[in-house]
Amino acid sequence: MVATSSSDGEAGTQWAALAGVTAALAMFGAAQGLSYPLFTLLMQRQGMSPALIGLSAAMMPVGLILSASFVPAAVRLVGARNLAVGCSLAGALCFLGIGYLQDWVAWFIIRFLVGVVINPLYVLGEVWALSLAPPSRRGRVMGVFNTLLGAGYAAGPLILITVGTSGWPPFVAAISGFALCALILRAVSSKLTGFEDDGQIQGGIVGFARLAPALLLAVLVAAAVQQSTYALIPVFGTGYGLPEARLAALVTALSAGNILLQIPLGLMAERFGGRAMIVFCALATAACALLLPLVITTPPVWPVLVVMGAVGYGVYTMALVELGSRFKGTALVAGNAAFALMWGAGGIVGPPGAGSLMQVIGPLGLPAVIAGLDALLIAFALYRSAKRKNS
């Protein structure tokens, strides 16, 4: 009876810690969610081209890439808790600088720094969530985790609609999101572990890449699709004559898909497996992208964007579920760091590529890039699956 009580207490602590980490990342997501349309609209007002807007959006992923390999060493140096809290506060300072320096050239540098400081939040949040999730419920747990993170992203554009894009209010909202993230992590992360040194994998990120190249491609595609869509869907809508107020709503509809459908996708992953669901989500994302030009000025655009937001990010959720199912310990940490690096790489490939193609062929460049990337992922995933069966 005593053992059962102790076990129940440990389980309660585990779920409380998971809830705290999820809430903290939701606050962080809200700050990030408002930044994409905010920067796009501000730079459009300054007369920036779609290609330059996409290049600016890529600065954050560059920071993610360059900092990914240093996250494990940083955790060993200062501890997981201190690193997560410190990076949250540094993110708030970055947005303070962005608001103070109303200069798109300075924004390039600061958006790079934002990528550097948010990377440990991504890595640690996902490592903690995957480690705390019971194996039999990993799909739904990660569905809930990404649902609430998606809710944060959705709240960002809604906050932007409420406070507007002029003056300090949008920047104060972003600063507050990072500050709340720091407070919550400070409160709950003392009960969380950082990185396990169990020697399961050699070579860090490079060693992991040899084990799971299809998972890394899935992350790259998910990142390229999401960041291209968030950064350039307002430009896409402008090309069809939509008013500015509706452009931010397009981003909100994308984020709503994460709120409504990540948990069902997680349950499907528990039944069908992460690998199969990666292919399914990629197929659905490509189909939605190809429908966008047909529905952008009609009411059906809203359900299409909701589904597209869900399955587009669902590729990443399914990759996380598969990562947690196949790896643990140092391999899990190396995998999460590799995911962060590939997320950054996807941000470099996606927004500038889609923005440049839009500049050449018009709004159709965005759905063309999205459908092409998802087709590449599907082909490679099927190739790897066939290779495993024949070996």
Side-chain angles (χ1 to χ4, degrees):
M1 193 70 176
V2 174
T4 301
S5 177
S6 176
S7 176
D8 289 345
E10 290 176 3
T13 300
Q14 179 179 1
W15 287 111
L18 181 58
V21 169
T22 303
L25 269 291
M27 297 300 100
F28 156 72
Q32 286 292 96
L34 75 81
S35 71
Y36 284 103
L38 174 62
F39 280 117
T40 297
L41 294 172
L42 290 178
M43 292 181 76
Q44 279 187 317
R45 288 180 191 169
Q46 295 178 20
M48 301 297 102
S49 67
L52 197 56
I53 293 172
L55 186 61
S56 175
M59 290 299 99
M60 192 181 301
V62 170
L64 288 172
I65 287 178
L66 295 182
S67 64
S69 60
F70 298 106
V71 173
V75 171
R76 289 193 295 270
L77 182 65
V78 302
R81 183 188 194 191
N82 291 335
L83 182 63
V85 173
C87 285
S88 300
L89 295 175
L93 289 176
C94 284
F95 274 89
L96 179 64
I98 291 168
Y100 180 74
L101 299 170
Q102 289 289 322
D103 181 348
W104 65 268
V105 176
W107 290 350
F108 270 66
I109 299 170
I110 301 177
R111 291 182 88 175
F112 166 79
L113 295 176
V114 170
V116 172
V117 300
I118 67 174
N119 197 25
L121 294 174
Y122 277 122
V123 173
L124 289 172
E126 289 172 357
V127 166
W128 284 330
L130 287 169
S131 300
L132 291 167
S136 63
R137 298 182 181 180
R138 185 171 288 118
R140 71 194 75 183
V141 166
M142 296 313 297
V144 171
F145 180 83
N146 283 315
T147 291
L148 295 178
L149 185 56
Y153 276 105
L158 288 175
I159 293 169
L160 196 60
I161 292 172
T162 302
V163 303
T165 59
S166 301
W168 273 100
F171 295 101
V172 170
I175 292 166
S176 300
F178 276 101
L180 284 171
C181 180
L183 288 173
I184 297 171
L185 286 176
R186 181 69 184 174
V188 305
S189 59
S190 61
K191 298 180 174 63
L192 301 173
T193 58
F195 291 85
E196 301 173 39
D197 187 12
D198 57 11
Q200 281 195 23
I201 190 170
Q202 300 296 322
I205 291 175
V206 175
F208 180 84
R210 297 192 187 101
L211 296 175
L215 285 184
L216 296 188
L217 180 61
V219 174
L220 185 145
V221 169
V225 167
Q226 191 200 39
Q227 294 180 58
S228 296
T229 309
Y230 273 69
L232 294 171
I233 195 70
V235 181
F236 180 83
T238 299
Y240 288 88
L242 299 183
E244 184 174 294
R246 193 172 181 185
L247 300 181
L250 297 178
V251 180
T252 300
L254 287 166
S255 298
N258 282 341
I259 299 172
L260 297 174
L261 298 177
Q262 287 303 305
I263 296 174
L265 288 174
L267 291 170
M268 290 173 68
E270 291 177 9
R271 180 172 181 180
F272 300 109
R275 294 176 188 172
M277 288 301 297
I278 288 172
V279 173
F280 169 79
C281 288
L283 276 169
T285 304
C288 289
L290 295 175
L291 282 173
L292 269 183
L294 303 176
V295 301
I296 187 63
T297 59
T298 67
V301 69
W302 304 113
V304 168
L305 286 173
V306 167
V307 173
M308 184 176 173
V311 293
Y313 192 73
V315 171
Y316 183 72
T317 302
M318 299 305 104
L320 276 178
V321 171
E322 185 69 8
L323 175 70
S325 299
R326 292 173 56 184
F327 302 101
K328 63 179 182 178
T330 53
L332 179 61
V333 171
N336 272 99
F339 274 25
L341 190 152
M342 296 308 290
W343 187 269
I348 290 176
V349 170
S356 297
L357 189 58
M358 291 173 77
Q359 196 163 337
V360 174
I361 68 172
L364 290 177
L366 180 60
V369 167
I370 293 170
L373 287 170
D374 280 302
L376 174 65
L377 172 58
I378 293 164
F380 187 69
L382 294 177
Y383 163 76
R384 289 287 297 179
S385 179
K387 187 176 180 181
R388 278 192 298 267
K389 290 180 181 178
N390 294 329
S391 61

